[in-house]
C-alpha cells in the first residue's frame, strides 16, 4: 500500500534502486528533495542527464572520460609498456594519489563474483587480451582489490595471461602504513610474513 | 584535485549534497548511474523533476499531496476535531499503518533543534495555532518523535497551546510490543513504570 501521492512514490522507488540506498534512505532523500529549492533539485536531475550524455568509457582502457580516450591513454609522457589492471575507474584515483605509478591503466569494470553472476565475460577481459596482443606491453600489474573477488579475478587473469609471455605482478599485501601490529588481522599478518623482504 | 572528467565530478558533487550520502557513496552511486541503461538514469532524473513539479504541501496540514489539500484533509469521513501533530509527512504513514487513528493531521516539517538552528519559526507552528483558532478542534495529539528534539517540540507546543483551551496529549512512552524487558533501556523502562496502567 502506498500512502504517498504518486509522483513522490515514483521518486522514492527510483532512489531505492540506487546501490546502498534502502527504503528508509530513499524516503529521507525524497523528502529532502521536496524541501530544497526547485533549482537545486533541477541541478541534480540535470547532472545525471549530462553525465550520462557526456561521460563515456575510454576506447582503450575503459576508464571514464568525456572524449574518445582518457587522460592517461592520451598522455604520451606515460609508460605504455606497464599496465595497471583495476576493478573500477575510481581505483585509478587512489593509485594516482600515491604518485608511485607512471604507466597506463585497464579498467575491468568489476570483479569475478559467481554469487552476483559476474564472470570474465561480463568484465573487460577480452579487451585486455586484445591490448596485450596489439600493444608492446611488458608488464601487467594486477591491482584488483585484496578481497575474495579481487583475488579470484587476479588468479584468473594470471593463469590466462602468463602463457602470452607478459610479466604479471600483484600489488603487495601486508601491513598498512601507520597501522598497529597488535590490531592487524591474522590474514594480513600472514601475508606480511610471507611477503617479508631483505633489508 | 579532481581526477574525474568534469560532468562526472559534477554528478558526484550533487549526489554528495543529499542527506546521508558521503563522498564514497556519491562516487559509488555516480558510477552505478554511468553503468545502467540510459533510460533508467533518465527515469530517475525525470522522477525528481516531476516530483518537484507536482508534489505540494497540503494547504491545511502541510502533508505532501498533488492537489490543493491532502487525502486526509479532503476525507469527510475523518474526525476533524482530533488533530495528530507529527514532525514529518512520512510519520503519517506509520500512524496510518497502525489503523488506530481516524482524525486529521498537522505536519510541523521538522522539530525544534537549537543545534541545527531550527526554532518554532522554522516549523509550521504559526499555521497550527491558526487552525486551532479557526477550526473546531478539541484535542491535539503530539506525536513528535520520542527523542530530545521531539520531546522539546512537544513541551513547547503544550505550553503554547494549553492556554487556548484545547486538550493536549502525548503518545504513550513505554515498552515496545514484542520487546524483551531484559533488553529495554533504562529510560524506556522508567517511562513504562511512570505510565503504568490499572488493569
Amino acid at each position: 500500500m502506498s500512502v504517498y501521492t504518486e509522483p513522490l512514490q515514483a521518486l522514492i522507488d527510483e532512489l531505492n534502486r540506487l546501490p546502498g540506498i534502502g527504503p528508509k534512505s530513499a524516503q529521507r532523500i525524497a523528502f529532502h528533495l521536496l524541501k530544497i529549492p526547485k533549482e537545486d533539485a533541477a541541478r541534480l536531475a540535470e547532472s545525471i542527464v549530462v553525465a550520462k550524455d557526456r561521460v563515456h568509457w575510454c576506447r582503450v582502457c575503459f576508464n571514464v572520460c568525456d572524449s574518445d580516450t582518457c587522460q592517461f591513454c592520451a598522455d604520451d609522457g606515460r609508460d605504455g609498456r606497464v599496465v595497471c589492471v583495476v576493478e573500477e575507474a575510481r581505483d585509478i584515483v587512489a593509485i594516482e594519489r600515491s604518485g608511485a605509478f607512471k604507466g597506463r591503466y585497464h579498467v575491468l569494470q568489476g570483479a569475478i563474483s559467481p554469487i552476483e553472476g559476474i564472470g570474465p565475460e561480463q568484465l573487460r577481459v577480452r579487451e585486455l587480451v586484445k591490448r596485450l596482443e596489439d600493444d608492446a606491453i611488458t608488464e601487467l600489474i594486477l591491482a584488483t582489490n585484496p578481497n575474495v573477488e579481487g583475488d579470484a579475478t587476479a588468479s584468473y587473469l594470471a593463469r590466462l595471461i602468463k602463457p602470452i609471455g607478459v610479466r604479471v605482478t600483484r600489488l603487495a599485501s601486508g601491513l598498512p602504513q601507520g597501522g598497529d601490529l597488535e590490531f592487524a588481522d591474522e590474514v594480513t599478518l600472514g601475508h606480511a610474513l610471507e611477503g617479508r623482504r631483505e633489508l
Side-chain angles (χ1 to χ4, degrees), chain A residues 4-140:
Chain A
Y4 295 125
T5 164
E6 191 274 323
L8 175 57
Q9 191 60 50
L11 174 58
I12 293 173
D13 292 345
E14 288 299 332
L15 290 169
N16 198 3
R17 274 182 235 278
L18 299 175
I21 307 286
K24 289 276 165 193
S25 301
Q27 225 177 58
R28 190 165 160 220
I29 294 172
F31 276 101
H32 167 85
L33 288 172
L34 289 182
K35 275 187 192 170
I36 62 175
K38 198 170 174 173
E39 311 84 70
D40 292 353
R43 217 172 41 237
L44 168 62
E46 179 72 10
S47 71
I48 295 170
V49 174
V50 169
K52 277 307 269 189
D53 220 50
R54 286 188 37 206
V55 180
H56 311 281
W57 309 122
C58 169
R59 191 174 47 81
V60 180
C61 77
F62 300 93
N63 183 13
V64 286
C65 62
D66 53 5
S67 52
D68 194 36
T69 51
C70 78
Q71 60 192 112
F72 305 110
C73 288
D75 183 352
D76 287 334
R78 298 189 76 105
D79 186 355
R81 291 167 304 174
V82 187
V83 171
C84 181
V85 179
V86 293
E87 289 181 23
E88 299 287 352
R90 54 178 177 264
D91 298 331
I92 294 181
V93 181
I95 294 175
E96 281 301 301
R97 225 183 281 126
S98 79
F101 182 67
K102 293 291 167 215
R104 296 245 163 87
Y105 291 98
H106 189 86
V107 182
L108 294 172
Q109 299 191 335
I112 293 173
S113 169
I115 295 170
E116 294 178 56
I118 301 175
E121 318 76 46
Q122 275 76 46
L123 306 175
R124 302 292 183 173
V125 172
R126 204 173 44 236
E127 291 87 346
L128 176 61
V129 175
K130 183 101 190 13
R131 274 180 83 176
L132 292 171
E133 286 165 355
D134 296 353
D135 302 349
I137 294 169
T138 55
E139 181 176 354
L140 216 59

